[in-house]
Amino acid sequence: MNEIDPARRFSLDAVRNFDGLAASGAAGGMNEVARQVASQYRRDTMSPIMVSGVLRMVEFALLFLSGLCLYFHHVGLFNYLPWQYPLAIASASFLAVVLLDVSDSYQISALMRPIANFGRILLVWAGAFALMALTAFAMKMSEDYSRLLFGNWFVVGFLLLFGLRLVMSKLIRRWARNGRMERRAVIVGGGKAAEVLIRSVEKQPYNDIRICGIFDDRGDKRSPPIVAGYPKLGTISELIEFARIARIDMLIVSLPLTAESRVLQLLKKLWVLPVDIRLSAHSNALQFRPRAYSYIGSVPMLDIFDKPINDWDSVAKRAFDIIFSFIGIIVFSPVMLVTAVAIKLDSKGPVLFKQKRHGFNNETIEVYKFRSMYTDRSDPTAKQTVTKNDPRVTRVGRFIRKTSIDELPQFFNSLFGSLSLIGPRPHAIAAQSHNLLYNEVVDGYFARHKVKPGVTGWAQINGWRGEMDTNEKIRMRTEYDLYYIENWSLLFDLRILFLTPVRLLNTENAY
């Protein structure tokens, strides 16, 4: 990105106006400068991987449909359509997309420069036709195809392909300028190493990285307040809150591998965030195999942590949630209707109980449940854990809690997107154990929030459901939740989904 980032200009002005607050955060949270900078980035961005993935599908559809249209124009709309033609058209279209992918034509740098890649696109499209012709010749089918038809398709297909690339280049440049499509990055660690890194990244003319600021625990003598035009916005502890508000995508640690103890200390704090964490390797003398690196342009990075369930995985998981939540609502609608009537007849108050809980990225969400307590004794903050024979629980409440029927309204949470169907169970914001918040009991507790919380999860089907009355139970639930995050797959979700009804038969800890 060649023009000056408006957020960068704002940051520099803010540092001057607020007289050094960026370097020393206000007690109890992020400083005012960092907060104002973070507020500019609240909007979610489009992932470059998602954009290039959608473009693959659009280009395949465009090539395939243009080929079919030319065929119908050639022979007539209602004439017999031999199977060889649509198969050949589909195969050539698919092969063209594969070859474009292999030749790195879906990289953002290539999409932003279609004219410079004119020859590569033409060569790929010609290569797809050559392979199609070679296959037809080998199978002794070449006489069945019209050379005029495929000649026309070659010209039309290429014009459509290149025309779409011209349009996409303008769109991508516009999205990059207004911050709609970018990867937001924060530099962890200041000083000379950060300056060298920033200069190296800025030299890459067509990268999608937007640097949002620098965070460092060191004082101004060792880590200047402004490095390469970017301000130091605060300490590492403040970075965690900043990254969540600003929806940061990547943290780049600009420390040498020789500073092992400091790198490990930083990673211990930062791994709870749902972001990619990279260690800058551009100035390290120690060389690894090329496959060990990822790159921003030509700047090498060592991959430390990857954001879990990202890009197309998140699309697949969202589709899973919508489909199975909708099925769950239909299947359990009679049970939910009967439960609602029973709650109304048993005690005064609303049918549903709404509670604030921790969601994805530590955000506050509202979770639905059937009300199981007397209205005047309910505890929305969950400071007091529900115990066996708890007098606050109604007669109907005891039954629906024991059978987990009280959780059924969370199918709607999953359908609307605040919850996932499968994931770590969301805990109430003020949930405590022995007067300690859960994050004070378990080191790294907030890493549970790297993915969207779920209606059911791996911990629950392994027996860690119900009352969290000991620190050990909280630790074990967190351990199972982290295992799920690190080993997620759609098959894993299906396994948990189908095991949940079986494991619910064990009601020992549910009351």
Side-chain angles (χ1 to χ4, degrees):
M1 300 178 185
N2 295 325
E3 60 243 60
I4 297 176
D5 187 344
R8 179 178 172 184
R9 286 199 299 267
F10 170 86
S11 302
L12 293 171
D13 292 340
V15 169
R16 298 185 188 102
N17 294 338
F18 286 96
D19 193 25
L21 271 176
S24 55
M30 190 166 52
N31 66 71
E32 187 61 27
V33 175
R35 191 174 300 280
Q36 291 198 32
V37 174
S39 67
Q40 299 180 100
Y41 294 106
R42 283 181 178 274
R43 184 179 62 176
D44 283 326
T45 60
M46 294 185 294
S47 163
I49 294 174
M50 295 289 288
V51 171
S52 62
V54 171
L55 182 61
R56 287 174 175 88
M57 293 186 285
V58 171
E59 287 188 337
F60 170 79
L62 197 64
L63 293 173
F64 178 65
L65 292 175
S66 65
L68 279 185
C69 289
L70 285 170
Y71 174 77
F72 285 126
H73 177 74
H74 185 73
V75 301
L77 183 60
F78 299 105
N79 288 348
Y80 171 68
L81 180 64
W83 63 269
Q84 296 99 323
Y85 272 94
L87 180 62
I89 291 168
S91 299
S93 302
F94 178 75
L95 185 59
V97 171
V98 170
L99 292 175
L100 285 168
D101 194 10
V102 170
S103 64
D104 292 331
S105 296
Y106 289 107
Q107 297 294 324
I108 294 299
S109 58
L111 294 177
M112 294 178 77
R113 305 167 62 205
I115 295 176
N117 288 275
F118 179 93
R120 185 192 305 181
I121 298 170
L122 180 60
L123 184 63
V124 163
W125 186 225
F129 266 74
L131 288 172
M132 180 178 65
L134 186 62
T135 302
F137 176 79
M139 297 178 67
K140 298 182 178 179
M141 297 170 59
S142 56
E143 294 181 357
D144 297 333
Y145 294 111
S146 166
R147 291 168 176 78
L148 177 62
L149 168 62
F150 282 99
N152 288 336
W153 187 39
F154 179 83
V155 175
V156 171
F158 177 74
L159 291 176
L160 288 173
L161 202 62
F162 189 69
L164 177 62
R165 296 264 167 154
L166 289 173
V167 173
M168 282 302 300
S169 70
K170 292 184 179 297
L171 286 175
I172 290 172
R173 288 173 187 272
R174 182 189 303 169
W175 292 335
R177 280 196 303 270
N178 63 24
R180 194 73 187 89
M181 192 195 78
E182 62 188 4
R183 285 184 293 169
R184 296 172 184 163
V186 162
I187 307 298
V188 182
K192 187 64 178 178
E195 183 178 359
V196 172
L197 169 63
I198 291 169
R199 300 295 187 202
S200 299
V201 170
E202 288 184 333
K203 285 179 182 177
Q204 313 305 312
Y206 296 105
N207 78 80
D208 57 332
I209 294 294
R210 185 184 294 271
I211 298 172
C212 301
I214 299 168
F215 285 80
D216 198 342
D217 283 337
R218 296 175 297 177
D220 289 353
K221 287 186 178 180
R222 298 184 62 193
S223 177
I226 295 177
V227 176
Y230 291 91
K232 185 172 67 175
L233 295 175
T235 64
I236 304 304
S237 296
E238 292 174 288
L239 164 59
I240 294 175
E241 185 180 356
F242 178 90
R244 286 180 170 135
I245 295 174
R247 301 187 184 277
I248 296 299
D249 300 298
M250 180 185 297
L251 304 181
I252 305 175
V253 181
S254 65
L255 295 173
L257 289 175
T258 50
E260 180 182 352
S261 60
R262 187 153 178 256
V263 170
L264 291 175
Q265 185 182 15
L266 288 174
L267 295 179
K268 188 177 180 180
K269 291 182 179 180
L270 299 174
W271 76 284
V272 300
L273 291 169
V275 299
D276 296 328
I277 300 181
R278 303 289 182 254
L279 180 61
S280 171
H282 73 289
S283 60
N284 286 314
L286 185 61
Q287 297 295 312
F288 295 90
R289 292 183 177 181
R291 289 184 181 180
Y293 298 108
S294 61
Y295 290 86
I296 297 174
S298 60
V299 181
M301 303 281 171
L302 285 172
D303 297 352
I304 306 300
F305 291 111
D306 288 326
K307 181 180 180 180
I309 315 181
N310 198 20
D311 296 318
W312 288 105
D313 285 342
S314 66
V315 174
K317 188 165 176 61
R318 183 70 188 122
F320 179 97
D321 289 341
I322 292 172
I323 292 168
F324 283 99
S325 296
F326 191 69
I327 292 171
I329 289 170
I330 293 173
V331 170
F332 290 104
S333 57
V335 178
M336 288 192 278
L337 183 60
V338 171
T339 302
V341 172
I343 291 170
K344 268 297 183 185
L345 294 175
D346 184 50
S347 61
K348 295 180 179 180
V351 169
L352 291 179
F353 174 70
K354 301 175 183 179
Q355 188 176 54
K356 302 291 185 183
R357 299 192 179 187
H358 283 301
F360 170 70
N361 203 19
N362 235 35
E363 294 174 348
T364 300
I365 60 172
E366 194 171 62
V367 172
Y368 308 138
K369 295 181 69 174
F370 280 123
R371 181 175 59 83
S372 59
M373 292 184 180
Y374 293 103
T375 304
D376 58 347
R377 301 185 191 178
S378 63
D379 180 18
T381 62
K383 285 185 178 180
Q384 183 181 347
T385 305
V386 177
T387 57
K388 194 170 185 178
N389 299 318
D390 196 314
R392 298 175 297 165
V393 180
T394 66
R395 289 174 300 172
V396 171
R398 288 193 182 91
F399 176 76
I400 64 175
R401 290 180 72 91
K402 204 168 190 66
T403 56
S404 292
I405 290 174
D406 64 324
E407 309 283 359
L408 290 180
Q410 288 167 31
F411 277 121
F412 290 97
N413 280 110
S414 178
L415 184 66
F416 299 146
S418 57
L419 290 182
S420 181
L421 202 56
I422 312 295
R425 286 291 294 149
H427 294 155
I429 294 173
Q432 296 183 0
S433 172
H434 302 98
N435 296 320
L436 290 175
L437 295 172
Y438 286 173
N439 63 293
E440 296 173 324
V441 175
V442 181
D443 189 25
Y445 168 81
F446 285 126
R448 300 173 74 253
H449 305 151
K450 292 168 74 171
V451 300
K452 199 178 290 186
V455 178
T456 184
W458 183 236
Q460 282 63 46
I461 69 165
N462 281 281
W464 301 104
R465 61 184 284 248
E467 184 184 3
M468 293 286 103
D469 55 346
T470 67
N471 292 349
E472 180 61 20
K473 286 183 179 180
I474 300 165
R475 290 192 186 97
M476 290 305 297
R477 179 181 282 191
T478 303
E479 185 176 320
Y480 275 90
D481 289 338
L482 296 181
Y483 177 87
Y484 166 79
I485 292 170
E486 293 166 4
N487 296 276
W488 175 86
S489 70
L490 282 179
L491 287 176
F492 196 7
D493 273 2
L494 277 171
R495 179 185 174 189
I496 294 170
L497 183 64
F498 289 119
L499 280 175
T500 295
V502 178
R503 300 301 166 84
L504 286 178
L505 296 175
N506 179 10
T507 60
E508 182 182 352
N509 294 323
Y511 35 81

